[in-house]
Amino acid sequence: VQLQASGGGLVQPGGSLRLSCEASRFTFEHRAIGWFRQAPGKEREWVSCISDSSTYYVDSVKGRFTISRDNAKNTVYLQMNSLKPEDTAVYYCAADAWYSSSCDAGPRFDYWGQGTLVTVSS
């Protein structure tokens, strides 16, 4: 199983980016898929999650970030708007291997992508 995160880059404050997470030899449908981030010198933070029954956003990104999935493309997206310097981090996607896993039932996130760097700076 391989997860590939992409879409990071350098953006000015207030700008937008869309991250993508694609999988090889694994189907995202009916599974919880999450986005995490880790800023320099900080612990990894759970940012967002999507499953059949629920979505989750950490308070600091609510109203600015939107998670979605395209089952036909086996891809999960994180649309990030109104970006702030404090959003700067390496963003990782992760997947729960369990079928019918849910964001609000303690997903395990068995598989991880390699990360994509988001830098918000003027």
Side-chain angles (χ1 to χ4, degrees), residues 16-34:
S16 298
L17 283 174
R18 188 178 76 160
L19 306 184
S20 300
C21 180
E22 299 179 74
S24 300
R25 298 185 298 278
F26 183 81
T27 300
F28 281 161
E29 192 173 9
H30 302 309
R31 293 178 167 93
I33 311 298

Side-chain angles (χ1 to χ4, degrees), residues 75-116:
T75 301
V76 171
Y77 303 99
L78 186 68
Q79 178 67 44
M80 305 187 298
N81 299 329
S82 302
L83 283 162
K84 304 176 181 180
E86 51 264 43
D87 295 317
T88 295
V90 177
Y91 283 72
Y92 301 87
C93 60
D96 188 323
W98 189 259
Y99 190 82
S100 294
S101 49
S102 174
C103 298
D104 54 10
R108 299 177 307 184
F109 297 121
D110 307 274
Y111 306 120
W112 291 78
Q114 85 290 356
T116 185

Side-chain angles (χ1 to χ4, degrees), residues 1-102:
V1 175
Q2 282 190 318
L3 304 186
Q4 180 76 35
S6 62
L10 173 64
V11 63
Q12 292 186 343
S16 298
L17 283 174
R18 188 178 76 160
L19 306 184
S20 300
C21 180
E22 299 179 74
S24 300
R25 298 185 298 278
F26 183 81
T27 300
F28 281 161
E29 192 173 9
H30 302 309
R31 293 178 167 93
I33 311 298
W35 283 98
F36 293 76
R37 66 186 179 187
Q38 188 164 20
K42 295 189 176 181
E43 293 187 354
R44 187 175 62 196
E45 177 182 42
W46 188 15
V47 175
S48 184
C49 180
I50 187 167
S51 61
D52 286 351
S53 60
S54 61
T55 55
Y56 163 82
Y57 298 96
V58 68
D59 285 347
S60 60
V61 309
K62 285 180 180 177
R64 301 188 297 122
F65 290 11
T66 303
I67 193 169
S68 62
R69 72 164 98 209
D70 185 333
N71 290 330
K73 296 182 178 180
N74 202 33
T75 301
V76 171
Y77 303 99
L78 186 68
Q79 178 67 44
M80 305 187 298
N81 299 329
S82 302
L83 283 162
K84 304 176 181 180
E86 51 264 43
D87 295 317
T88 295
V90 177
Y91 283 72
Y92 301 87
C93 60
D96 188 323
W98 189 259
Y99 190 82
S100 294
S101 49
S102 174

